[in-house]
Structures are given as structure tokens and as C-alpha cells.
């Protein structure tokens, strides 16, 4: 929805009533005039987060794996966008298995997947009131709580199931 709204803004320079109403519902803004501001914030947040991850990946691929700068930039940007949007795409035949022991590749990818999965409404609420969890909406509480439980429980179950398997751990 954000992408469609952004395209409407770029192509037409303004949003029609139908596009504004759809974006208003999707972004949970209170007034129609807020839609443009919210879409701008979402785009800036996405690009900023993806850029940071892309820089880390690019640096690691160029310095640690001998990729040319152009190829490292391409790979870093592609995998940053794919991870943040939970696309699950990788440009290597073994996905990311070749980097399993490299935290400079795996951790930024994991951070991007988790951050992208939280969603914009949760991030914006955390930025506004991260020191006041009592004021968080039900959506933010459920999203953070469920994400934490799934991450911890998944780690515990995976570790328990694979502890004696030398092929994985």
C-alpha cells in the first residue's frame, strides 16, 4: 500500500480521494492530511534502515570476500532490501549457507528481517514513546510480545533439537 501511494505521489504529484482514503486506512492515520506525511516517514524509515544494512553488507563483502566494489554494492543493497521486506531471496545457489559462520553477514540480515517484520506502526510508536510502555497500543504490545516469544522459543527448540547433531551445531 505504501508503495502504491508513493507511486501515486511521484507520478501525479498528488493523491486522489480514493488513494488517500485507502492509504489512511492502511497507515491508520487520523486525518487525510496526515497521509502524505506518514507515507514520507515510512519511505524515509525504510530507505534509511535498508541503507545502514546495505553499507555493512557491502563493506563486509568487499573487504572479507574480495568482491569488487560495484558487485559488493549490488549484493549489499539487494540482500538488505530482501531481508527488510522478508523476501527470502538470496543471489547465491546455496542461499546464505556460505556465510553461516560470518556474523558480519548473518547478524545484519537477521536484524533486517526482524525489524522489517515488526512493521511501521510499531516502530513509529516505539520511537514516540519507547520510555513509556504503558502507553503502547495493543498492536505494539502484541507484536513485540509475540515476536519475543517466537524468537526465544524458536531458539530454544532449535537448539534442543539440534544439540547433538554435529552437522548443524
Amino acid at each position: 500500500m505504501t508503495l502504491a501511494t508513493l507511486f501515486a505521489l511521484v507520478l501525479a504529484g498528488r493523491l486522489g480521494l480514493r488513494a488517500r482514503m485507502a492509504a489512511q486506512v492502511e497507515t491508520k492515520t487520523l486525518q487525510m492530511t496526515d497521509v502524505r506525511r506518514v507515507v514520507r516517514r515510512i519511505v524515509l524509515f525504510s530507505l534509511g534502515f535498508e541503507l545502514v544494512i546495505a553499507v555493512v553488507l557491502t563493506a563486509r563483502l568487499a573487504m572479507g570476500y574480495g568482491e569488487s566494489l560495484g558487485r559488493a554494492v549490488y549484493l549489499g543493497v539487494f540482500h538488505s532490501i530482501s531481508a527488510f521486506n522478508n523476501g527470502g531471496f538470496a543471489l547465491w545457489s546455496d542461499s546464505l549457507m556460505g556465510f553461516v559462520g560470518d556474523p558480519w553477514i548473518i547478524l545484519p540480515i537477521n536484524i533486517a528481517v526482524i525489524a522489517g517484520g515488526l512493521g511501521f506502526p510499531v516502530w513509529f510508536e516505539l520511537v514516540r514513546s519507547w520510555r513509556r510502555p504503558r502507553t503502547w497500543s495493543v498492536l505494539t504490545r502484541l507484536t513485540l510480545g509475540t515476536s519475543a516469544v517466537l524468537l526465544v522459543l524458536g531458539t530454544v527448540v532449535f537448539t534442543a533439537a539440534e544439540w547433538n547433531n554435529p552437522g548443524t551445531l
Side-chain angles (χ1 to χ4, degrees):
M1 189 65 202
T2 303
L3 192 59
T5 305
L6 178 64
F7 281 141
L9 281 171
V10 169
L11 294 176
R14 62 179 183 83
L15 288 174
L17 181 60
R18 181 175 291 179
R20 279 184 191 248
M21 289 176 68
Q24 180 183 11
V25 169
E26 183 66 25
T27 59
K28 296 173 182 57
T29 56
L30 299 175
Q31 299 175 4
M32 294 267 229
T33 56
D34 292 340
V35 171
R36 179 173 261 174
R37 182 179 50 84
V38 169
V39 168
R40 188 178 313 122
R41 288 175 58 197
I42 289 171
V43 169
L44 290 175
F45 177 81
S46 298
L47 292 176
F49 200 94
E50 291 168 357
L51 179 65
V52 170
I53 299 297
V55 166
V56 172
L57 294 176
T58 297
R60 181 62 179 155
L61 289 167
M63 290 187 276
Y65 294 93
E67 295 285 351
S68 69
L69 183 59
R71 174 106 172 122
V73 167
Y74 174 73
L75 292 170
V77 169
F78 179 90
H79 290 94
S80 172
I81 293 170
S82 176
F84 185 76
N85 292 297
N86 290 279
F89 299 113
L91 296 178
W92 293 281
S93 60
D94 67 347
S95 188
L96 296 175
M97 291 299 295
F99 304 104
V100 71
D102 188 350
W104 286 101
I105 298 288
I106 297 300
L107 288 178
I109 296 284
N110 285 323
I111 290 167
V113 168
I114 293 167
L118 291 178
F120 302 112
V122 172
W123 276 110
F124 293 153
E125 188 166 351
L126 288 175
V127 167
R128 274 195 318 267
S129 62
W130 68 277
R131 290 185 186 210
R132 299 183 311 274
R134 292 179 190 213
T135 64
W136 292 351
S137 68
V138 173
L139 171 71
T140 299
R141 291 177 190 207
L142 280 174
T143 302
L144 292 177
T146 304
S147 295
V149 166
L150 289 173
L151 286 169
V152 171
L153 189 62
T155 302
V156 168
V157 169
F158 181 81
T159 303
E162 298 294 327
W163 189 257
N164 293 322
N165 185 353
T168 55
L169 296 178

